[in-house]
Amino acid sequence: MPTFTTYDGTELAYHLQGEGEPLVCVPGGAMRASVYLGDLGGLADGRRLILLDLRGTGDSGMPADESTYRVDHQVGDVEALRAHLGLERMDLLAHSAGGNLAQLYAAAHPERLRRTVLVTPTAWAVDLPVTPEQRLEAARLRAGSEPYDTAIDAYERILADAGAGGSEVDWDLAAPLFYGRWDAAARAHCAANAHQQNEKAAEAYAGPGAFDPPATRAGLRRVSGEVLVLAAELDGNPRPVLAAELAGLFRRGAVDVQPRAGHFPWLDDPGWFSARVERFLSSGV
């Protein structure tokens, strides 16, 4: 397991899978160990995946200053990894909450990116929040059968009581909504989150002061490399229309939507996912 030392002396780990052109991968969670990404639906068959464990997660060290869990402080970690790898420009993939880290990195270091893939990304960094109505719109696409009717009821309770964050029981009941298929693989993937996520770090990730949306939007316009925002048909975070808004903030941004997929699309149709991402990385939009 290779490691490197980032700007504040914290030792961070990354994991390698596959052979070929390198692809730096930033996990979501927020603050979930990169192991949940697996081989990204077989993308490692043609790429050298470099799966970063963010500070305080997976095999990476804990920072001396816990305020550096805030996402804007982690931009330096991605830049330190790029320099450690000796890459003048890199291809970057980020999932979910990791999309905010990728957006902040792109705004700060636009010249360092060749092609960027944002997979079902949140976009707090550019002030494109997902609304409860959008989340429920996606959830209700599943209505009419179990376990989805029960999951929708639970999700409605969670969103109606957003200030309290929802009960653990309701989150467990709502879990099928985040996957295209609620099969054994999805259930195991969901259950693993309990010991893969640093909850304290997740609470700090998007804390006060993390984002300056006007500055980040201006920075994204300086990114000359191509960007693919990959949404999923059944995902509420983000809906495809919001993903298209995010893609429009880049000079060379494009959006695509994976059919019948949820928030972790590489699990729902690995072949579709890996082929689409590989095609973009090889040939652009």
Side-chain angles (χ1 to χ4, degrees), residues 64-110:
D65 180 359
E66 292 185 348
S67 71
T68 61
Y69 285 135
R70 205 177 69 180
V71 60
D72 54 320
H73 295 299
Q74 297 189 58
V75 171
D77 296 342
V78 179
E79 176 61 3
L81 174 58
R82 181 204 62 78
H84 166 76
L85 296 170
L87 299 174
E88 185 67 22
R89 299 179 76 203
M90 65 180 174
D91 291 333
L92 179 67
L93 180 147
H95 174 243
S96 189
N100 296 281
L101 178 49
Q103 291 156 47
L104 293 178
Y105 180 84
H109 301 282

Side-chain angles (χ1 to χ4, degrees), residues 129-145:
V130 179
T131 66
E133 292 76 19
Q134 290 169 331
R135 292 175 185 269
L136 287 174
E137 174 191 359
R140 289 168 179 158
L141 295 173
R142 313 290 192 96
S145 65

Side-chain angles (χ1 to χ4, degrees), residues 7 13 18-19 24 51-52 65-66 88 97 113 118 123 166 181 188 197 207 220 274:
Y7 67 92
E19 299 293 337
V24 173
L51 303 155
L52 174 63
D65 180 359
E66 292 185 348
E88 185 67 22
L113 293 173
L118 303 177
R181 298 188 310 273
Q197 186 179 33
L220 296 186
S274 59

Side-chain angles (χ1 to χ4, degrees), residues 187-261:
R187 290 193 292 272
H189 188 268
C190 181
N193 183 65
H195 60 267
Q196 292 172 350
Q197 186 179 33
N198 182 331
E199 293 185 2
K200 187 174 185 179
E203 290 174 1
Y205 188 76
F211 303 123
D212 181 351
T216 301
R217 285 172 174 247
L220 296 186
R221 298 303 297 174
R222 297 194 294 271
V223 176
S224 61
E226 294 176 293
V227 179
L228 174 66
V229 182
L230 183 59
E233 180 184 6
L234 301 176
D235 187 27
N237 189 22
R239 296 297 295 137
V241 65
L242 195 64
E245 284 191 60
L246 176 58
L249 299 179
F250 295 91
R251 288 161 54 188
R252 303 176 70 191
V255 65
D256 205 348
V257 182
Q258 182 168 331
R260 300 175 299 281

Side-chain angles (χ1 to χ4, degrees), residues 17-21 43-49 91 278 281-282:
Q17 291 198 43
E19 299 293 337
E21 291 295 314
L43 192 58
D45 290 347
R47 292 275 157 182
R48 181 70 155 172
L49 303 186
D91 291 333
E278 178 58 41
L281 293 174
S282 299

